[in-house]
Amino acid sequence: MIEVRNLSKSYGPVQAVRSISFQVNQGEVVGFLGPNGAGKSTTMKVMTGYLPPNEGTVLVDGMDIRENAIEVRQQIGYLPENTPLYSDMVTYDYLEFVAAMRGVQKDDRAERIAEMTNACGLQEVLSKRVDALSKGFRQRVGLAQAMIHNPPILILDEPTSGLDPNQIVEIRELIRTIGKKRTVVLSTHILPEVQASCDRVIIIDNGVLVADGTPEELQANLSAGEHVSITLMDNEEDVAGVLGTWDMAEVVEHGTDVNGEAYFNLNSSSDIRADLFRLAVSNGWTLTGLHRRHENLEDVFRQLTGR
Amino acid sequence: MNQTWTLTKRELRAYFDGPAAYVVLCVFLAITGWFFGNALFLQNVASLRSVFSIAPFIFLFFMPALTMASFAEERRAGTLELLLTLPIRDWQVILGKLLSVALLLLLAIALTFVYALTLAILGDLDLGGTVGGYLGLFLLGITYGAIGIWASSLTRNQIVAFILGFAIIFVLFLLDKITDFVPGQLGVIMQYLGADYHFQNLMRGVIDTRDILYYLSLTGFAFLLTTYTLAKRPE
């Protein structure tokens, strides 16, 4: 559906995106992850036809974003970062304006606006001016304008930034509903968002693509083996001495936590909790905590993009 | 083309939803009316010449003021990104904005038809000079407008856009008035490049294609520069 090929983009001397390639298949919801300034927005701006790439191309349904600009743009709904809207317009008029600009036939506009009003919950703000809307409603109007022409592709740049937790959940649910019928590319630096709404994750760091896969795949790749943490009410050095010679697991990290208890993070190839418990008993340790840790997307993200 | 017109309508609504259009129209009418009435009642001159003479000076301020927001505000608010990712060409966006300015200008000019009508009733109206004057007024205004729009595309600050637009137009306005200070041949060139010189020609009732071409090519040039600026996708 969307194919990004060797895309590079620089602003003057600053190279924002370096030869990124990936594909988005029909019906997928793809999350674009990366630290601020990683090149997410730039990539999206090129994909929507706003910025011309320095190198490489973007193909939508086999059509080039530059050569078939008008046709490609018709396929795409776009919500830029910070949701820019004409603040001097009434919501209804604004949606009608976008619908007209998007080529929605005059007779169909009212119906499309009604549909978007329902989908995005805009009933109470239709007759209000855009500059009087709360951030959450602005975001919904932004989503509504992106979908007004019923595009098969949606590109959303940080759709939940600046919203309160309730609004984030609402917008996320909205995106999930929308995503059932469409191809969605959304960028974010909020990790739970990706886990909540995306089929696939693409991680970009410093303009380079560093990972591409389902959230589960990415976690599996990085979290080979088992991770167990324990806390004890014993002398850290003594325990470290015993664990250091124990051949079933490897100590990754140890220290003293805020309660004054010693903690140890261990890596192993199999589940060692039972063995660890017996080891503690045989050494007479007072074990106060023993749990298995799962590497989450946050660990993946930090591992891949940490500098 | 439908979309260009949709954009023009939105721009016009933005002018009339805010105070901008009303302030400009009222002040324009007040100033031209004062000059018209002054000539008519105090000097007993039944002519539109005084109106036409002051208009280029008013436009010098008004056209940059009317156009300073056109792209600068879109850049500041970020709406330019949405506008330029709609399924239309950049030049259609510029044309839509220029058309809205042209229509507002036409309205301002049409409102002064009252003066012409008064003269036609009271005495003899110099038809050639009136038609030429109005044509010149429109061409001059649209040229200034196109320059103002270009100035607005160069910055995200409306004040800067206004001053830039004003400065460029002021140079054009001044060119034919300082020919006394430059040697012969250069003076002729400067006179030809001056915006007011061509307006004076038209005002005399001599509708020469050279004068019309001057305004149209200047408008086209400013339009082209705007296309060029937008193509670089300023942040």
Side-chain angles (χ1 to χ4, degrees):
Chain A
M1 188 114 205
I2 308 175
E3 193 183 347
V4 176
R5 272 193 208 156
N6 304 320
L7 180 74
S8 293
K9 175 72 195 170
S10 51
Y11 301 103
V14 183
Q15 184 94 22
V17 173
R18 300 156 206 258
S19 197
I20 281 184
S21 299
F22 61 89
Q23 279 189 27
V24 180
N25 303 319
Q26 187 152 8
E28 263 186 324
V29 180
V30 172
F32 241 45
L33 266 179
N36 289 325
K40 301 183 299 262
S41 290
T42 304
T43 309
M44 291 183 135
K45 281 175 186 179
V46 176
M47 287 167 77
T48 52
Y50 180 66
L51 292 178
N54 292 119
E55 272 168 56
T57 47
V58 178
L59 301 174
V60 174
D61 278 340
M63 291 183 293
D64 188 279
I65 189 91
R66 304 299 294 173
E67 282 162 28
N68 303 84
I70 303 296
E71 291 90 334
V72 169
R73 288 176 191 188
Q74 247 135 15
Q75 308 282 308
I76 296 176
Y78 179 36
L79 175 65
E81 203 175 355
N82 303 324
T83 325
L85 304 169
Y86 288 118
S87 51
D88 57 347
M89 289 180 99
V90 170
T91 306
Y92 188 92
D93 295 343
Y94 176 66
L95 292 177
E96 193 175 32
F97 165 71
V98 178
M101 293 301 278
R102 287 283 188 188
V104 177
Q105 290 304 309
K106 202 170 179 140
D107 301 336
D108 303 333
R109 280 175 213 158
E111 196 188 318
R112 286 300 306 157
I113 294 171
E115 217 169 289
M116 285 305 104
T117 306
N118 278 331
C120 304
L122 295 173
Q123 288 86 352
E124 53 184 292
V125 297
L126 271 186
S127 55
K128 279 191 186 165
R129 265 170 66 115
V130 170
D131 54 6
L133 302 186
S134 67
K135 192 119 211 264
F137 272 117
R138 279 183 66 94
Q139 209 70 17
R140 292 188 205 191
V141 174
L143 281 170
Q145 68 79 25
M147 295 189 293
I148 196 89
H149 55 303
N150 207 4
I153 300 170
L154 270 182
I155 296 182
L156 313 172
D157 199 351
E158 304 207 352
T160 57
S161 77
L163 300 182
D164 69 38
N166 292 333
Q167 293 167 332
I168 289 181
V169 171
E170 283 169 22
I171 294 291
R172 227 180 255 166
E173 257 157 35
L174 190 55
I175 290 172
R176 208 178 300 145
T177 321
I178 297 162
K180 280 180 189 149
K181 284 176 276 173
R182 292 188 176 82
T183 307
V184 182
V185 179
L186 64 91
S187 79
T188 179
H189 49 256
I190 306 164
L191 295 153
E193 190 153 295
V194 173
Q195 263 155 333
S197 26
C198 300
D199 305 322
R200 221 173 92 216
V201 187
I202 290 171
I203 301 181
I204 296 181
D205 183 37
N206 214 359
V208 183
L209 192 142
V210 291
D212 180 355
T214 64
E216 294 76 25
E217 276 171 9
L218 294 188
Q219 281 166 40
N221 280 347
L222 279 163
S223 56
E226 294 281 332
H227 309 276
V228 175
S229 303
I230 53 169
T231 49
L232 312 121
M233 292 173 74
D234 299 274
N235 185 294
E236 190 191 330
E237 295 306 316
D238 297 346
V239 179
V242 176
L243 282 177
T245 56
W246 198 42
D247 53 5
M248 292 192 75
E250 180 195 348
V251 178
V252 191
E253 198 185 351
H254 66 91
T256 311
D257 67 11
V258 283
N259 302 322
E261 295 178 1
Y263 71 87
F264 290 82
N265 293 337
L266 304 160
N267 274 2
S268 62
S269 50
S270 60
D271 187 0
I272 49 155
R273 284 174 298 168
D275 301 284
L276 202 54
F277 178 74
R278 280 191 288 273
L279 183 73
V281 171
S282 64
N283 283 288
W285 295 338
T286 314
L287 201 60
T288 52
L290 168 67
H291 69 272
R292 201 173 173 187
R293 280 193 308 122
H294 290 281
E295 286 248 14
N296 55 22
L297 210 53
E298 205 159 323
D299 298 314
V300 177
F301 182 78
R302 282 174 53 193
Q303 205 158 328
L304 287 171
T305 64
R307 268 168 247 156
Chain B
M1 226 50 225
N2 276 334
Q3 288 133 311
T4 308
W5 180 236
T6 305
L7 184 63
T8 303
K9 281 191 291 184
R10 196 211 83 79
E11 294 288 317
L12 276 176
R13 266 180 83 165
Y15 277 131
F16 283 99
D17 276 350
Y22 302 103
V23 170
V24 164
L25 288 176
C26 288
V27 176
F28 179 70
L29 282 181
I31 299 177
T32 52
W34 192 79
F35 274 84
F36 174 70
N38 210 17
L40 188 66
F41 298 118
L42 298 180
Q43 295 160 15
N44 275 326
V45 182
S47 163
L48 282 173
R49 196 157 264 269
S50 51
V51 174
F52 290 148
S53 305
I54 193 68
F57 192 68
I58 306 175
F59 284 176
L60 176 63
F61 294 95
F62 278 14
M63 295 323 287
L66 272 178
T67 52
M68 66 183 186
S70 64
F71 281 108
E73 178 58 21
E74 299 245 17
R75 277 179 66 173
R76 192 197 58 75
T79 45
L80 188 65
E81 199 174 330
L82 270 182
L83 192 59
L84 296 183
T85 49
L86 290 171
I88 52 168
R89 307 276 177 197
D90 289 6
W91 64 262
Q92 288 178 294
V93 172
I94 306 168
L95 184 64
K97 288 185 180 264
L98 189 62
L99 265 178
S100 70
V101 174
L103 288 175
L104 196 62
L105 186 69
L106 272 181
L107 178 63
I109 292 174
L111 288 172
T112 66
F113 285 173
V114 181
Y115 310 148
L117 215 66
T118 314
L119 287 185
I121 294 165
L122 285 179
D124 55 332
L125 179 74
D126 169 16
L127 198 64
T130 308
V131 171
Y134 275 125
L135 179 67
L137 217 54
F138 177 70
L139 288 171
L140 185 77
I142 201 73
T143 306
Y144 285 4
I147 294 170
I149 287 176
W150 177 52
S152 182
S153 75
L154 291 171
T155 168
R156 44 193 299 165
N157 184 321
Q158 290 191 41
I159 310 287
V160 174
F162 174 81
I163 292 170
L164 259 175
F166 175 80
I168 300 168
I169 295 167
F170 191 55
V171 169
L172 285 174
F173 178 80
L174 224 55
L175 272 180
D176 62 311
K177 296 177 183 60
I178 50 169
T179 46
D180 290 348
F181 305 108
V182 292
Q185 204 52 36
L186 191 62
V188 176
I189 296 170
M190 274 172 63
Q191 188 178 49
Y192 185 78
L193 290 176
D196 219 19
Y197 166 71
H198 299 273
F199 180 65
Q200 300 296 335
N201 286 349
L202 287 166
M203 207 170 82
R204 278 199 292 271
V206 189
I207 298 174
D208 191 335
T209 42
R210 269 180 303 182
D211 299 323
I212 296 175
L213 257 165
Y214 165 83
Y215 288 120
L216 290 184
S217 48
L218 210 55
T219 305
F221 185 57
F223 195 105
L224 216 66
L225 286 175
T226 315
T227 322
Y228 179 71
T229 308
L230 285 191
K232 287 192 294 189
R233 295 294 193 249
E235 275 301 296

